[in-house]
Amino acid sequence: MSDYLKDPQIHREIIMDHYQHPRNHHLSDDKTYHKAHMASESCIDDLTVMMKIDKGLISDVCFDGVGCTISTASTSILTDLIKGKTLEEAKSIINSYYAMIDLKELNEDLLQEAVAFQNVGKQANRIKCATIGFKAIEQMIKEEETHD
Amino acid sequence: MSDYLKDPQIHREIIMDHYQHPRNHHLSDDKTYHKAHMASESCIDDLTVMMKIDKGLISDVCFDGVGCTISTASTSILTDLIKGKTLEEAKSIINSYYAMIDLKELNEDLLQEAVAFQNVGKQANRIKCATIGFKAIEQMIKEEETHD
Amino acid sequence: MLNVKEIRKDFPMCVKQDAGNGKVYLDNAATTFKPYSVIEAVTRYYTDESVNIHRGDYDLSYQVSDEYEQTRKTVARFLNCEEREVIFTSGASASLNLFAYGWAQKFLKKGDVILSSEAEHASNILPLMKAAELTGATIEYIPLTEEGELTIEAFKGAMHDKVKLVSIAHISNVLGFVHPIKELTKITHEYGAIISVDGAQSVPHIKTDVKDWDIDFLSFSAHKMLGPTGVGVLFGKYALLDQMDAFMLGGGNNARFDICGNIQLKNPPFKFEAGTPAIEAVLGLKAAILYLEKVGMDEIEAYEHELKTYAVSQLKDLKNVILYNPHAGTGIITFNVEGIFAQDTAIYLNSKGLMVRAGNHCAKILVEVIKTSETVRASVSFYNTKEEVDRLVDALRTITLEQCIDLSIM
Amino acid sequence: MLNVKEIRKDFPMCVKQDAGNGKVYLDNAATTFKPYSVIEAVTRYYTDESVNIHRGDYDLSYQVSDEYEQTRKTVARFLNCEEREVIFTSGASASLNLFAYGWAQKFLKKGDVILSSEAEHASNILPLMKAAELTGATIEYIPLTEEGELTIEAFKGAMHDKVKLVSIAHISNVLGFVHPIKELTKITHEYGAIISVDGAQSVPHIKTDVKDWDIDFLSFSAHKMLGPTGVGVLFGKYALLDQMDAFMLGGGNNARFDICGNIQLKNPPFKFEAGTPAIEAVLGLKAAILYLEKVGMDEIEAYEHELKTYAVSQLKDLKNVILYNPHAGTGIITFNVEGIFAQDTAIYLNSKGLMVRAGNHCAKILVEVIKTSETVRASVSFYNTKEEVDRLVDALRTITLEQCIDLSIM
Ligand SMILES: Cc1ncc(COP(=O)(O)O)c(C=O)c1O
Ligand SMILES: Cc1ncc(COP(=O)(O)O)c(C=O)c1O
């Protein structure tokens, strides 16, 4: 792993940056977007994530709502990661992320900035925050696949 | 007090007799009768008592239902005691009975055979059984009085 | 084989009896004693983790929330269902009311039939009577045998196309017959109906397997199975729960709502759990199930049946005793003494240290079947002994009406 | 004057803290710690009197039934009402749902108005939203001040002839303002309406007198006032209770029923108590009230207010802290740290041993009034100390976003 991605200082900065300047932080009026509203049961996050899929490709993804640093930053990073990817690619990113959260395996090529959350799995009470956006995307992909 | 009314043996016989051969043990179809249905909350007694009042006089009283020895016998004795009496007389019989149950005072002239229950107040869990019929009569007298 | 002597050491109430307080508890169908492990689970909450749940804002709350959800896992394993199919309620009565409100009131309509029995507990039948009244459905009753048993033949005869809901106790609290739930369920489903099972008397005494039986709903209380009062369970198949209305609304069961009245409820089971639940009671329920599993449900059933059979064999010889359910398979013994009213018998037995229940046991319409208005019920648990049964038999051998009266007036 | 040092010795959770576990509990609005006397009342049930109630068939059952009813007496004295006006429920949420079902759904009709506020807890407002939907009534909201307070002037302005029900919290769980219940009730009655008060946050913290205030209904939970979870109370004026429908049906609330569906319910309060109640929790509630009475409700109110005022005076000086309710009269402190999301603040405080709650506190529609979607809530009880408040202030003095993040990712 590159040093860049091992340094906790860098992790913090990545999260700070995505929390204070979340990417793709808006919603779309376009009715062809998929939409998932996630209201966490154990914390107070309340995010809506939207995604446009064109012929198996994620052509756009965006989100809005209120959330803590962890949920906001992780969702922001995720939107960056999967925009322009195929559904299959997005699924392997999400699965790699879950593997990292489970403290099993770290795939830095796929996860890129998301490696900032490599230790969040040690804080059981933050796992829901760190995965809320991923759950939303997963749900929408499933929706798309079953409607095919 | 006469010896007759002091002897526990006699008390038991009075109760046995009234339990096995309850007096006035039937109901009336006459719509002019007052009627009170008493279903005790803590035991399984379920009695209906009826009473006809003519110009302030209790001209008839009867009861039916299922009940334990104490509730059946006490109600049977009560019907004997108040039949033919005025409402005022009935009320003083009932009050004397309550005073006896409270272990306060024993008026054998008024209570007659009901003195068999002079110690029932010592068994807190039988008080409801020993007063169920009296409560019914009390309720019907109140009804009559408020409708006057 | 179950070691009663050792088991009794786990229950403070039994320990006191064995130390010589002279009491015999035979009212286990009403509620059971609690083992130390349950008491400890409850008090641990008070002394070590006395905070509210369902939030992860601080460690202790997270920890208690987790333990609370662990109980759901434990219940799911015990019943053989999914976690999300386990709803915590305040007791069997609340579970049965939730079902009647959320499912029966919602899905039944005029002309539909609810099939039930005359041996049902008030907490099962009354909410259904109300659902029937509100929806225009009617209730029909499966005829019972003379002893009050529900047979498959009678069930088949009573079943028809208009039946949309079958609702019966797996074990009746008055007569203790074990109904053939698996077969009844199969027939119910053949008619396209669903079955709601009142398990208040069965879950504590015989092995439950909702998946194998394929039942749709199951209600029971913790306090009848060594657990605390104030908590019960409604199991429901997830797809059915998902369609069902919430009985109560409030903190915890809504994800979001706004001023216009748009309410977004959570998914089952949380949708049905409004407000702060009985936290320590739920934790106690887990300890209760672990205890039952340790003893073994099959062992419990076998031993309780043995005790019952023993009691029946003794009581049969007493000429003054009328037994109503000699053939029932569980630990409930229903009887009367010739010429003595049930409550007087109970009070006499109380004077001998024996705790039994007199009454119609909340199955008030049953009197039309077994043709007696009131009975005495002695109900054993696996912590009862044959010596305790002997105490009952001895007391009944010598009971007289005179003695019963004397007890009240002396 | 209340002796906090001595009081803390009565609470095992405080004893542990004082022995040095480093924790500070400031989430008392969610639930409170329990004194030993409550724990003993609960465990005494398990070890000495583990039987069911409401029957007199044997001594122990009679004794426990009596203790259960003694709690009703104690509650009646504590609230200043009649015993028969006290209904035991499974908690404030259940009380509020029972009221909404039994009274609001029954007596409201199209065109009627329910007057409430935007600061209500989900457990109060959601059941009313449902009652409104079912009856065709509408809900109107009394405008609150900028700080979220409900004033008499605003109430008068909002009141009109179509209002049939006023339903508000005596003390809001988010902002801690004490509403002028007695005056509001007077006005409510002048319009011929009735008032239902959510007392979940008030009964534990200030003296209640339903007779003096003349309120019609009051709901609260035991677990927020030193008692067990799983039990709450609905007080209602007897004449109103008498007209009200039962929410749940079942064992215990019916005197008799027959196969034709004729049900004869008992009189209030028993009519509303179906099934085996939370017996040990009710016994624990009695011990909790006795404890509160011993300390004194007026003393509790004064001391909690003093703590709150002290906290506000300290927090006011911290530039990074936004206080939402500096003027509220009770022990609830609602705030945010500039630039840090409420939950991150709570998790940071957790790392310092401080237990507070982040959230919208189930009053989700309030965000439209105080204009912030999430807040941190620290809520004190009379067993909290000024030193504990200092711990909170110190932690907030040095909090940074970086530290909050590090806590989660390290
Ligand atoms: C068969 C049956 N169903 C339901 C109930 C009601 O249980 P609970 O009183 O715990 O709500 C009982 C207990 O009396 C029962 O025996
Ligand atoms: C104002 C208010 N009402 C109602 C409730 C609901 O109480 P419970 O969760 O004990 O049912 C609460 C507690 O969160 C509250 O603060």
Side-chain angles (χ1 to χ4, degrees), chain C residues 188-405:
Chain C
T188 301
H189 288 165
E190 280 163 15
Y191 281 84
I194 70 148
I195 185 161
S196 160
V197 176
D198 176 354
Q201 296 296 344
S202 64
V203 177
H205 299 288
I206 63 177
K207 195 169 169 44
T208 302
D209 189 333
V210 300
K211 198 166 283 166
D212 178 50
W213 302 341
D214 200 25
I215 59 177
D216 301 296
F217 290 92
L218 178 71
S219 298
F220 59 96
S221 280
H223 72 91
K224 292 186 199 283
M225 51 190 282
L226 318 185
T229 66
V231 59
V233 168
L234 175 66
F235 151 83
K237 282 185 183 162
Y238 191 80
L240 294 170
L241 290 184
D242 206 29
Q243 302 164 1
M244 222 168 99
D245 281 347
F247 188 43
M248 295 215 286
L249 299 174
N253 89 336
N254 64 97
R256 288 293 179 271
F257 67 92
D258 65 27
I259 198 166
C260 312
N262 300 312
I263 305 171
Q264 184 195 340
L265 291 183
K266 291 182 180 170
N267 291 327
F270 308 106
K271 171 175 161 182
F272 303 104
E273 296 177 6
T276 304
I279 305 173
E280 64 269 36
V282 166
L283 303 183
L285 170 57
K286 179 175 168 191
I289 292 176
L290 294 182
Y291 191 92
L292 290 172
E293 289 179 333
K294 201 184 65 185
V295 179
M297 291 311 295
D298 290 338
E299 284 72 19
I300 288 174
E301 181 181 1
Y303 178 69
E304 290 177 356
H305 183 61
E306 188 187 321
L307 271 185
K308 159 82 191 303
T309 311
Y310 177 72
V312 167
S313 75
Q314 304 287 303
L315 292 170
K316 255 196 353 238
D317 295 338
L318 302 190
K319 286 215 199 67
N320 59 338
V321 171
I322 310 157
L323 275 178
Y324 295 104
N325 64 342
H327 304 108
T330 58
I332 291 175
I333 305 148
T334 310
F335 64 95
N336 262 319
V337 175
E338 197 84 54
I340 304 184
F341 191 69
Q343 184 143 27
D344 292 313
T345 303
I347 285 173
Y348 170 80
L349 291 173
N350 171 57
S351 76
K352 304 285 180 197
L354 290 148
M355 302 182 241
V356 302
R357 178 148 300 216
N360 31 40
H361 312 291
C362 298
K364 288 165 180 163
I365 51 185
L366 183 63
V367 305
E368 291 162 37
V369 176
I370 60 169
K371 307 241 163 19
T372 179
S373 55
E374 271 78 24
T375 59
V376 183
R377 180 186 71 186
S379 50
V380 301
S381 168
F382 62 91
Y383 46 69
N384 285 121
T385 63
K386 289 199 180 163
E387 290 71 39
E388 292 183 311
V389 171
D390 291 339
R391 287 271 302 275
L392 174 68
V393 176
D394 287 345
L396 289 173
R397 200 186 307 275
T398 56
I399 185 173
T400 64
L401 183 56
E402 285 80 355
Q403 284 172 308
C404 293
I405 294 172

Side-chain angles (χ1 to χ4, degrees), chain C residues 275-276, chain D residues 29 91-94 96 121 123 169 171-173 198 200-201 221 223-224:
Chain C
T276 304
Chain D
S93 297
L96 292 161
H121 190 278
S123 295
I171 296 181
S172 142
N173 61 311
D198 177 355
Q201 296 296 343
S221 280
H223 72 90
K224 292 185 198 282

